[in-house]
Amino acid sequence: MTKTDELFRVDGQAAIITGAGRGLGRAFAVALARAGADSILVARRADDLAETARLVAAEGRKAYAVPGDVTDPSIAAHAVEAAMREFDRLDILVNNAGAYGMGPIEDTSLEDWRRIVDVNLIGSFLFAKAAGKVFKTQKSGKVVNVASVLGIKAAAEATAYCAAKAGVIMLTRSLAAEWAPHGIGVNCIAPGLFKTDMSSVVFDSPEFLEQVMSGIPRGKWGEPDDLAGTVVYLASAASDHMVGQVLHVDGGSSVV
Ligand SMILES: NC(=O)c1ccc[n+]([C@@H]2O[C@H](COP(=O)([O-])OP(=O)(O)OC[C@H]3O[C@@H](n4cnc5c(N)ncnc54)[C@H](OP(=O)(O)O)[C@@H]3O)[C@@H](O)[C@H]2O)c1
């Protein structure tokens, strides 16, 4: 292995990945396993987590499920406890769980708005706070938040989601400034269109899909594995001097 290869390894490290039951979160768990990390997997559906754990095990690493809702502060505490119990360490937090919703603002209920902000933004805060206790004590750790191109580019009828993801970006920057002196790296991925359950609202409508695709210079949507390199980069020593940055992985949709 070359010194450059070593920079991108996380052998023997332990990660917490939220929203790891399917979609991007499952791909993050597998990518980090291929780079050498064990993981604690969080989502509400235990059967989905079991399948992700199976895929991680197939890569020769361990994964344990902590089923629960990221908006419940006790779940973040359980996830950190599980990492310390099972692996005796915690090195990486991937704040990936998200919720999406569309509709005119006058039809958006307070409950829907709160749910979107709670899952995307408050969930990320709760997990960062819980993991941060370990990271600060050991003076190391990596936080990878997952925002969206819609945290930077506005979209009509997606106000709660856009506002929540813009919040995730500012959470990243602010927390990065706070924790960089403690040796903790905090950065963010802003995906464009990826084919997952969450984006089925786009893929189920040929008109909507055509409209979104017309704004992607590369002319392709992303598959979850297209983010493998990005999450490993931000979770590994390769990104040590990167502080509070947002990596746009979107086929170019944010540059036009
Ligand atoms: N797909 C895209 O095009 C796209 C684009 C930009 C950004 N993103 C962001 O990327 C992240 C992953 O999205 P995805 O497309 O992979 O979504 P997805 O396919 O819908 O998967 C979401 C995952 O999060 C979990 N989850 C949802 N709400 C949760 C909650 N309250 N507590 C715990 N887990 C929860 C889900 O499991 P349970 O339902 O079992 O809890 C599932 O495992 C999200 O933050 C999303 O906003 C996605």
Side-chain angles (χ1 to χ4, degrees):
M1 195 183 295
T2 66
K3 282 198 183 308
T4 304
D5 294 335
E6 281 170 19
L7 273 178
F8 291 86
R9 297 295 307 175
V10 285
D11 292 295
Q13 296 192 18
I16 293 174
I17 302 160
T18 71
R22 50 184 191 271
L24 305 188
R26 175 174 285 171
F28 292 151
V30 172
L32 289 172
R34 286 179 181 153
D38 300 316
S39 56
I40 299 296
L41 311 171
V42 181
R44 291 165 300 177
R45 287 181 48 174
D47 53 343
D48 285 348
L49 293 179
E51 175 57 13
T52 304
R54 193 190 64 73
L55 294 170
V56 168
E59 299 298 336
R61 302 307 314 187
K62 292 185 184 135
Y64 296 93
V66 174
D69 192 314
V70 293
T71 65
D72 175 348
S74 72
I75 297 301
H78 288 326
V80 173
E81 282 159 20
M84 298 313 286
R85 185 181 63 244
E86 302 296 345
F87 307 129
D88 199 25
R89 62 186 297 162
L90 178 63
D91 306 281
I92 300 159
L93 166 65
V94 183
N95 268 323
N96 165 75
Y100 183 70
M102 283 188 69
I105 196 156
E106 59 273 26
D107 297 339
T108 303
S109 67
L110 178 58
E111 190 187 14
D112 287 347
W113 179 282
R114 280 206 170 121
R115 179 86 196 142
I116 290 169
V117 172
D118 277 1
V119 177
N120 289 290
L121 183 54
I122 305 226
S124 299
F125 153 68
L126 291 171
F127 273 74
K129 186 174 168 172
K133 288 182 186 147
V134 178
F135 291 168
K136 256 186 147 173
T137 307
Q138 69 194 17
K139 299 192 185 318
S140 68
K142 294 277 190 175
V143 180
V144 182
N145 291 327
V146 179
S148 167
V149 68
L150 294 184
I152 302 122
K153 282 185 87 169
E157 300 192 353
T159 50
Y161 186 75
C162 289
K165 289 304 196 185
V168 171
I169 289 170
M170 214 52 206
L171 168 71
T172 303
R173 291 186 177 145
S174 180
L175 195 56
E178 186 172 326
W179 280 357
H182 299 276
I184 305 164
V186 185
N187 290 287
C188 181
I189 304 175
L193 178 64
F194 278 74
K195 199 162 199 294
T196 66
D197 289 355
M198 181 179 282
S199 55
S200 60
V201 61
V202 177
F203 287 95
D204 289 350
S205 159
E207 300 78 32
F208 197 1
L209 182 60
E210 194 183 332
Q211 180 204 324
V212 176
M213 291 304 295
S214 69
I216 304 177
R218 192 164 183 245
K220 292 178 180 182
W221 59 75
E223 296 292 345
D225 282 349
D226 290 325
L227 285 168
T230 314
V231 76
V232 170
Y233 170 60
L234 292 181
S236 67
S239 61
D240 274 355
H241 202 50
M242 177 168 273
V243 176
Q245 296 303 309
V246 182
L247 293 187
H248 302 260
V249 185
D250 59 7
S253 58
S254 59
V255 299
V256 290

